[in-house]
């Protein structure tokens, strides 16, 4: 299947996953800024990947705005975030991100990435510092909140090629 992987990455985790998917599927792979100069409609399958932040998927509006033009395409979207794959919040997050009925055609996936504070933009760093401070100030923290504080207090990487398998399987179906 003639496929393109289009991605948007801030700190490098999505940029890591996109070529893994492209290589394993024989797809073309372009950063979003470059992909805006080609016609994705020439492909049979379009895979869009970006990063999750504060309950949103960065640049997902670009993908969503083109879905009507790609009605006859296989559409896959993946987001990369700092939560482990088994986090109960992920399924809810994906459902909320793609709750619009026209998005039912999109196959959505999550890939764990991590945090790289050294590559984060200043506003993202500030937002994370405020979030950590808010969590630490909370009187009665749940076990999950205590674990989250430990995880996001410094850079870490939990990305792994194994997380692209469901995406590759979906592409074959």
């Amino acid at each position: 299947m003639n496929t393109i992987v289009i991605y948007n990455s801030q700190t490098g985790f999505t940029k890591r996953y996109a070529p893994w998917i492209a290589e394993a599927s024989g797809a073309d792979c372009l950063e979003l800024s470059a992909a805006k100069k080609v016609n994705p409609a020439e492909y049979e399958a379009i895979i869009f990947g970006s990063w999750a932040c504060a309950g949103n998927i960065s640049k997902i509006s670009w993908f969503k705005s083109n879905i009507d033009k790609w009605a006859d395409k296989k559409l896959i979207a993946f987001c990369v975030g700092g939560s482990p794959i088994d986090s109960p919040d992920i399924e809810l997050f994906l459902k909320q991100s793609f709750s619009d009925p026209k998005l039912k055609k999109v196959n959505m996936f999550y890939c764990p990435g991590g945090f790289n504070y050294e590559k984060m933009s200043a506003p993202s760093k500030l937002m994370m510092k405020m979030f950590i401070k808010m969590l630490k100030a909370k009187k009665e923290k749940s076990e999950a909140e205590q674990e989250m504080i430990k995880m996001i207090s410094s850079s870490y990487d939990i990305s792994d090629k194994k997380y692209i398998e469901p995406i590759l399987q979906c592409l074959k179906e």
Side-chain angles (χ1 to χ4, degrees):
M1 185 178 286
N2 188 15
T3 304
I4 187 168
V5 178
I6 300 168
Y7 70 93
N8 173 55
S9 186
Q10 181 186 37
T11 61
F13 294 104
T14 309
K15 188 175 183 174
R16 181 178 298 152
Y17 276 105
W20 285 346
I21 294 165
E23 183 182 323
S25 64
D28 292 336
C29 186
L30 293 172
E31 200 161 350
L32 179 58
S33 57
K36 289 178 179 178
K37 298 172 186 158
V38 300
N39 183 7
E42 295 174 4
Y43 293 86
E44 297 167 272
I46 301 167
I47 301 173
F48 176 76
S50 194
W51 50 283
C53 179
N56 293 305
I57 301 171
S58 178
K59 306 293 184 186
I60 196 67
S61 57
W62 173 83
F63 182 73
K64 288 179 177 181
S65 70
N66 285 292
I67 287 176
D68 289 338
K69 291 188 262 182
W70 303 332
D72 61 333
K73 310 295 176 195
K74 177 144 202 151
L75 299 176
I76 297 172
F78 71 95
C79 71
V80 179
S83 297
I85 194 81
D86 58 357
S87 174
D89 299 332
I90 292 170
E91 191 173 333
L92 178 63
F93 167 71
L94 294 179
K95 282 181 182 174
Q96 288 174 341
S97 298
F98 284 83
S99 59
D100 186 325
K102 78 176 190 175
L103 303 176
K104 296 279 187 243
K105 185 179 192 277
V106 179
N107 298 281
M108 187 68 196
F109 297 92
Y110 176 80
C111 299
F115 277 92
N116 187 334
Y117 284 102
E118 295 74 27
K119 291 185 179 180
M120 270 187 194
S121 67
S124 291
K125 281 183 197 176
L126 180 62
M127 185 177 69
M128 289 308 302
K129 282 185 180 185
M130 289 173 27
F131 180 64
I132 292 167
K133 189 175 183 175
M134 180 190 75
L135 274 179
K136 286 181 175 178
K138 191 174 176 183
K139 296 274 187 240
E140 295 180 31
K141 296 176 205 58
S142 69
E143 198 173 306
E145 289 168 330
Q146 291 172 2
E147 187 61 33
M148 183 181 287
I149 291 168
K150 286 180 200 170
M151 279 185 74
I152 65 175
S153 291
S154 60
S155 296
Y156 64 93
D157 182 351
I158 54 174
S159 58
D160 193 307
K161 257 188 184 177
K162 69 183 179 186
Y163 297 119
I164 70 169
E165 287 306 318
I167 297 169
L168 299 174
Q169 188 60 42
C170 178
L171 195 55
K172 292 177 187 174
E173 294 171 354

